């Protein structure tokens, strides 16, 4: 196996602790493989079976906060990779396991109709967002924080004040994807905003982790859930949809609440070619 990459080296939880890093993760004798197996089994069951509650205020959502400074904003692909990694790192972290302090909130969300809401922050807003329970990831200078899910009617005031829409980032050209990392391919034909794309790659990283055999998911955890995000043109997308049909890739199909039509395939996740 190749060495653990720098991508995702800044994964940390609300207490500033590393989340499954090379120092405190699967390379440590203290890493609980049995606990990881339980968390992976839960993720592998899928999600959304319970539907929405009758009370709209109790609809469950994961908030994703993107750090978007006014000066020198990060590349779009790196920021999306950070959002994807933060989402799956939270879902497979120790604190959502059966004895974890986030377990009840996580399961209430996962077993409902999955929603993610993306918000942007800068300066003091970003510092305040990092005080709310969740996991922050940095990829190539881009930072995103996935917060512990909960009812939309009970969002922390520090998060509720953050803007949902607005600032976007133009697609960049990050070059070829690393063959040692999973790739999350975004459907460029849908022209999704940054916030929409961030939510969709978050779904994709969760789906991919749940679809992987436990041993491969564990190996991905060793690599801090690093992934590449790339835009797929029409030709690439046709090939990717063929891979989904063959069962060699995992697709996100959107419910159509915002921006895209119901059932649209938004992101396709492909396992690392070297695994």
């Amino acid at each position: 196996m190749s060495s653990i990459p720098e991508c995702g080296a800044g994964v940390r939880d609300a207490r500033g602790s590393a989340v499954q890093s090379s120092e405190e993760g699967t390379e440590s004798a203290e890493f609980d493989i049995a606990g990881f197996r339980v968390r992976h089994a839960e993720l592998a069951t899928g999600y959304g079976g319970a539907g929405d509650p009758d009370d709209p205020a109790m609809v469950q959502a994961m908030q994703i906060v993107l750090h978007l400074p006014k000066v020198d904003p990060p590349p779009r692909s790196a920021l999306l990779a950070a959002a994807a990694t933060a989402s799956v790192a939270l879902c497979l972290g120790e604190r959502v396991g059966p004895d974890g302090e986030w377990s009840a909130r996580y399961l209430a969300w996962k077993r409902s109709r999955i929603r993610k809401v993306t918000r942007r922050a800068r300066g003091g807003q970003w510092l305040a967002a990092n005080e709310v329970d969740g996991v922050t990831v940095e990829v190539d200078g881009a930072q995103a924080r996935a917060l512990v899910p909960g009812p939309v009617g009970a969002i922390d005031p520090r998060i509720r004040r953050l803007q949902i829409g607005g600032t976007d980032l133009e697609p960049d050209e990050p070059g070829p994807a690393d063959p040692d990392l999973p790739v999350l391919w975004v459907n460029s034909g849908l022209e999704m905003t940054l916030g929409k794309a961030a939510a969709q790659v978050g779904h994709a990283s969760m789906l991919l982790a749940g679809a992987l055999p436990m041993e491969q998911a564990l190996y991905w955890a060793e690599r801090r859930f690093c992934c590449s995000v790339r835009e797929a043109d029409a030709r690439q997308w046709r090939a990717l949809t063929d891979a989904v049909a063959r069962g060699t890739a995992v697709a996100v199909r959107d419910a159509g609440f915002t921006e895209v039509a119901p059932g649209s395939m938004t992101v396709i996740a492909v396992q690392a070619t070297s695994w």
Side-chain angles (χ1 to χ4, degrees), residues 75-85 184 186 194 197-199 201 227 229 231:
R76 179 182 173 110
S77 60
L79 192 54
L80 292 178
T85 298
L184 310 183
V186 178
L194 174 66
V201 296
C227 62
V229 175
E231 298 276 338

Side-chain angles (χ1 to χ4, degrees), residues 98-163:
D99 298 322
E101 62 189 277
W102 297 346
S103 177
R105 286 183 284 171
Y106 166 70
L107 292 178
W109 169 73
K110 180 189 169 294
R111 295 174 180 177
S112 301
R113 181 176 290 171
I114 287 290
R115 285 185 174 85
K116 293 186 176 75
V117 178
T118 307
R119 301 171 184 268
R120 63 180 177 90
R122 57 173 59 102
Q125 296 174 330
W126 174 246
L127 296 176
N130 276 268
E131 296 172 354
V132 180
D133 287 345
V135 173
T136 293
V137 167
E138 180 174 342
V139 175
D140 295 336
Q143 295 178 306
R145 185 167 182 82
L147 302 181
V148 179
V152 296
I155 298 173
D156 188 291
R158 290 167 291 186
I159 304 305
R160 186 181 297 280
R161 66 172 60 101
L162 300 179
Q163 188 169 331

Side-chain angles (χ1 to χ4, degrees), residues 17 58 64 76 89 98 123 132 202 240 266:
S17 302
M58 293 304 295
I64 298 175
R76 179 182 173 110
V132 180
L240 289 163
T266 55

